[in-house]
Amino acid sequence: MGTVLGAMRNVRWHELQHAYGSASQVPGVLSRIAWGDAPSSDEALNDLERWIGTPPVFDSTAATVPFLWELAATDSVRDRAGVLDLLATILAAGNPEHPAWTRAAHEAVAEGRATAVRLTAAPDAPAVRDVPDTPEVGGPAPAQAVRTAATRLLAAIDRHRCPVCPTPPPRGT
């Protein structure tokens, strides 16, 4: 697995659940997001959103979020903006029957705030893959899409309030 996603082996995925059962498949899906070709990566991101993000969150959601932040910060990941959008979806989701899962998932997203700040200011990389990320001619370049998604997520983190999450301390403390 290398450095990216290397810590996945430390999670007991088989003990966690997602919307359709055991979360033991989550590492493979995260790997496909990291290294898959475009169709495989897109399918994996869609699968992961259905499994851990909507409509409720699960115990596997909080375990997955740090790896999503890692993927969002990795230049070689094809749809970093999509990963950031999934983090925003998780922040907006909940599970009324399991408020501890909701709180853990939301806190895991909020813990990546510094990464979101960094991504809002990320310069255009001189990457070979800096091509439009949409099929339409003139679609947004991946770096701009990442900055836009990071800006939206940062705003969502900063204004996040829900019944199960503690009120954040004032900024600067």
Side-chain angles (χ1 to χ4, degrees), residues 8-18 21-28 59-60 63-64:
M8 281 194 312
R9 66 181 163 271
N10 299 328
V11 177
R12 301 176 82 141
W13 296 103
H14 65 282
E15 294 178 4
L16 302 174
Q17 297 291 308
H18 61 58
S22 171
S24 61
Q25 316 92 325
V26 169
D59 59 349
S60 63
T64 305

Side-chain angles (χ1 to χ4, degrees), residues 2-162:
T3 306
V4 175
L5 302 179
M8 281 194 312
R9 66 181 163 271
N10 299 328
V11 177
R12 301 176 82 141
W13 296 103
H14 65 282
E15 294 178 4
L16 302 174
Q17 297 291 308
H18 61 58
Y20 300 99
S22 171
S24 61
Q25 316 92 325
V26 169
V29 172
L30 287 167
S31 294
R32 286 189 5 237
I33 294 168
W35 299 292
D37 61 14
S40 177
S41 179
D42 291 346
E43 179 183 8
L45 192 55
N46 289 332
D47 286 347
L48 197 57
E49 182 173 0
R50 281 192 338 269
W51 292 357
I52 68 164
T54 56
V57 296
F58 295 86
D59 59 349
S60 63
T61 306
T64 305
V65 167
F67 302 109
L68 292 173
W69 277 117
E70 188 176 351
L71 293 173
T74 302
D75 289 335
S76 61
V77 171
R78 290 182 184 279
D79 190 2
R80 295 166 60 204
V83 172
L84 291 165
D85 289 341
L86 176 54
L87 287 164
T89 297
I90 291 167
L91 186 64
N95 190 327
E97 295 178 20
H98 298 281
W101 295 353
T102 300
R103 185 174 39 258
H106 292 179
E107 287 174 351
V109 172
E111 285 171 9
R113 186 182 187 285
T115 300
V117 168
R118 187 169 46 80
L119 292 173
T120 63
D124 288 334
V128 174
R129 290 167 38 169
D130 197 14
V131 295
D133 66 351
T134 59
E136 300 83 33
V137 175
Q144 181 58 46
V146 169
R147 286 192 295 269
T148 301
T151 299
R152 280 192 312 262
L153 178 55
L154 186 58
I157 290 169
D158 288 348
R159 69 176 182 263
H160 176 74
R161 304 292 181 272
C162 76

